[in-house]
Amino acid sequence: MQQTERWIRSQKTWEMPNEDEPNTIDLMNSINLMEFSDEILLHILSYIPSTDLILNVRRTCRKLATLCLDKSLTHTVLLHRDYQASEDKVKQLVREIGKEIHQLNMAGCYWLSGTTIEHVTRCRNLVKVNLSGCHLTSIRLSKMLSALQHLRSLAIDVNPGFDASQLSSECKATLSRVLELKQTLYTPSYGVVPCCTSLEKLLLYFEILDRTREGAILSGQLMVGQSNVPHYQNLRVFYARLAPGYINQEVVRLYLAVLSDRTPENLHAFLISVPGSFAESGATKNLLDSMARNVSLDALQLPKSWLNGSSLLQNMKFNNPFYFSFSRCTLSGGHLIQRVINGGKDLQSLASLNLSGCIHCLSPDSLFRKAEDDIDSSILETLVMSCCNLKHLNLSAAHHHSSEDLGKHLCQLLAQLQHLRSLSLPVCSIADSAPKADKAPAQTVTNAVPRGFGKKVRIGVQTYPRTVSSESVTQKPSSVFWTLLENVPFLETLELIGSNFSSAMPRNEPAIRNSLPPCSRAQNVGDTEVAAIGQLAFLRNLTLAQLPSILTGSGLISIGLQCQQLQTLSLANLGMMGKVVYMSALSDMLKHCKQLKDLRLEQPYFSANAQFFQALSHCSSLQRLCIISRSGTLQSDAVMSFMGSCLGLIMCHMFTGESLTACKNLQQSIVRSFQAERPALNVVIFPLLHEGLTDVIRDVPMMHLDEITLFKSRVAEEPPNLWW
């Protein structure tokens, strides 16, 4: 916001940035922004947060006052991730342009009070509103919806204490016209679904904990007493995502029971995402049989137990499918080709494919195959040829080893998918099939590096430099992974995750103390392969997890120098587990990450000291920081100094080996010092292995928990453009 004001107010003139004094470009000294066409100015203004646009920029001159009220800027207002949107700013914004707003996204505005959220009633022309993560009671929701008679799309949370009987007749009339509903459930309930009699799209997120904060066990049968049931007759899209826990499965069955009685004729997308097993019931079998007979789908995701060993896919009909997810299924490559791709049938419409955890999906059968056996490249070749327009592909959580003798390497085949925008691969899958004769000497000793928390050993002289010259950055090693990235230059999201990696902090459970050793082939993936990622000039999101052969982390510097669009970085268990070997390289990398907004680090024995925070202070756009480190340490004064210098940081989560007292004192100091000026500030500092961790986690805003604090693969997790 401060940068915007300076940009507009300083004589309304823009000068070329003077990054290097001797090489300053003189473009006729300056350009008067007000001489640009309205179309160009509107495009520039569209990048400014709505609160800043209306409350600050609009007041700078008459021309901008007019342009800032253009319909293209006021029709849709996004407060999601506008962490500077305080209570007063939101109220004033709604007062000034409320009648002009047709679409309003307030998802994740957890810092705003219910009384502020209630000001949405001024936006009487709203057609679409997202209030997920906002504080709403049944009575307040009723009052708001009663005033929004044009509403057709709604997203809300259903929290404990929700009572549908408190919804007024005017509210129910509005809900009866709603066509799209996204509902996040924190308590067993139908929520407002029974009132939405015209639903065409229903998205359900089940986040119900098995126990209350007081320890009482919840039961999904609490819903049975409700007199109304969902109306699905017009449904086109049904999506359900479940958090771990039996209670979520119990509740979703009650939603599905209505579907099994009568399958909607216009159903096009049916997606259920369930962690772990989810047994079939008589009702779900009837539902699947009815779907196979009566509907043609373009998006499908089912629990693994519903697909494993069944002939369902063979009977299901698809019409120009754009999304498939078979995550964690034991689907073999033979079945994938025969039942989904239909023997190589053209699937050019498929945009997103999730095969995460499908350990046999690239082999002919799964009966006599070990998970670590080589893949059949002909299956992947058929997949690539048939789904040539794939934009999002997830092959993580499996051992996809290419054969040294037969067929092409996995990376060579994936290089043909030149439309890819996001890709998730297991680390072992990018290793060259055969050892290279010209491999750097340091790479050849990596098998001697301990895989677990063993005795620290000296591994020789560091082969890789700590700084990367322009000459070394442009080198092109002859590796299959380098070739892959060279052929997908527009990749925006890349995940390299060890096949056996598991985060130290899973959902709703105590912290994991031990993890499986990395795949042996992952030992052949090191700093050189990481450096290859620097080719991706458009990269915005990067995840690297369980790369045991990182020796110095020099590849990170290449990424920092060349991937100037990088906004999200997640690093976990790189190099030796008993020592942080890449600290110096990480510090050098961070100095170049000017666009970085989210940083997640998960590494045992990580020292969050003054050196680290000094490097991190160069990340001027940083908004969220999460550090997870067993036996890790914090330097409190360095943390406080960093918080004071990084003005945009609104989330600080640190789970380390520090004592409970030290963690509480630091957390209180941060909140006391910065909460007033940062309304969205969320601070959690807690011992990683403390028994109370689960209770602490349940209070973290869902948007932070889901997007950064908890580790997971996010490529092809949901269909593209599922909601907003």
Side-chain angles (χ1 to χ4, degrees), residues 442-443 445-447 449 459 464 518 520-529 546-553 573-576 581:
Q443 295 274 37
V445 301
T446 54
N447 287 330
V449 178
I459 57 176
Y464 299 96
S520 59
R521 288 217 189 181
Q523 303 286 349
N524 298 321
V525 178
D527 295 289
T528 302
E529 286 73 20
Q546 201 181 41
L547 279 74
S549 291
I550 296 296
L551 298 181
T552 67
N573 293 8
L574 303 186
M576 298 172 58
V581 298

Side-chain angles (χ1 to χ4, degrees), residues 303-322:
K304 63 178 183 179
S305 55
W306 295 13
L307 285 174
N308 293 345
S310 75
S311 59
L312 174 65
L313 289 178
Q314 201 164 6
N315 300 321
M316 199 71 73
K317 295 186 287 292
F318 301 108
N319 179 34
N320 296 322
F322 66 90

Side-chain angles (χ1 to χ4, degrees), residues 352-371:
S352 186
L353 178 61
N354 190 342
L355 295 173
S356 172
C358 294
I359 59 177
H360 303 299
C361 68
L362 298 182
S363 63
D365 59 70
S366 57
L367 292 178
F368 305 104
R369 180 184 184 273
K370 295 180 180 178

Side-chain angles (χ1 to χ4, degrees), residues 3 72 130 152 203 248 277 288 299 301 375 379 438 533 583 637 669 674:
Q3 292 177 341
S72 64
N130 190 339
R152 296 296 179 269
L203 277 56
N248 291 306
S277 60
L288 296 176
Q301 179 177 7
I375 64 171
I379 292 175
D438 60 348
I533 299 172
M583 192 66 171
D637 56 345
S669 296
F674 304 105

Side-chain angles (χ1 to χ4, degrees), residues 447-563:
N447 287 330
V449 178
R451 299 179 186 175
F453 293 92
K455 181 181 178 181
K456 300 177 184 178
V457 296
R458 185 178 180 184
I459 57 176
V461 180
Q462 293 181 337
T463 302
Y464 299 96
R466 291 192 174 186
T467 59
V468 180
S469 65
S470 58
E471 181 180 349
S472 63
V473 163
T474 57
Q475 291 178 352
K476 294 186 177 181
S478 55
S479 73
V480 289
F481 183 57
W482 188 283
T483 302
L484 166 61
L485 299 187
E486 199 172 28
N487 284 275
V488 288
F490 300 109
L491 204 65
E492 297 177 0
T493 299
L494 176 64
E495 297 177 347
L496 294 179
I497 304 174
S499 306
N500 295 329
F501 176 74
S502 57
S503 174
M505 198 169 72
R507 184 75 184 275
N508 300 340
E509 300 171 19
I512 294 177
R513 288 163 170 76
N514 297 303
S515 59
L516 295 173
C519 172
S520 59
R521 288 217 189 181
Q523 303 286 349
N524 298 321
V525 178
D527 295 289
T528 302
E529 286 73 20
V530 171
I533 299 172
Q535 299 176 78
L536 302 174
F538 297 95
L539 191 68
R540 299 167 68 89
N541 310 293
L542 175 63
T543 297
L544 301 174
Q546 201 181 41
L547 279 74
S549 291
I550 296 296
L551 298 181
T552 67
S554 61
L556 295 174
I557 307 175
S558 298
I559 296 171
L561 283 169
Q562 296 178 278
C563 303

Side-chain angles (χ1 to χ4, degrees), residues 43 63 66 190 204 268 306 313 321 331 386 426 443 484 504 513:
H43 182 73
K63 183 168 184 176
T66 301
Y190 280 126
L204 299 168
H268 281 255
W306 295 13
L313 289 178
L331 191 70
S386 302
Q443 295 274 37
L484 166 61
R513 288 163 170 76

Side-chain angles (χ1 to χ4, degrees), residues 245-288:
Y246 78 92
I247 188 68
N248 291 306
Q249 296 187 13
E250 193 174 338
V251 175
V252 78
R253 289 189 189 279
L254 295 172
Y255 279 85
L256 292 172
V258 181
L259 268 180
S260 64
D261 291 337
R262 181 183 176 186
T263 306
E265 297 177 358
N266 295 320
L267 192 66
H268 281 255
F270 186 78
L271 308 117
I272 301 180
S273 174
V274 182
S277 60
F278 183 39
E280 265 191 300
S281 64
T284 55
K285 287 181 179 178
N286 292 338
L287 169 61
L288 296 176

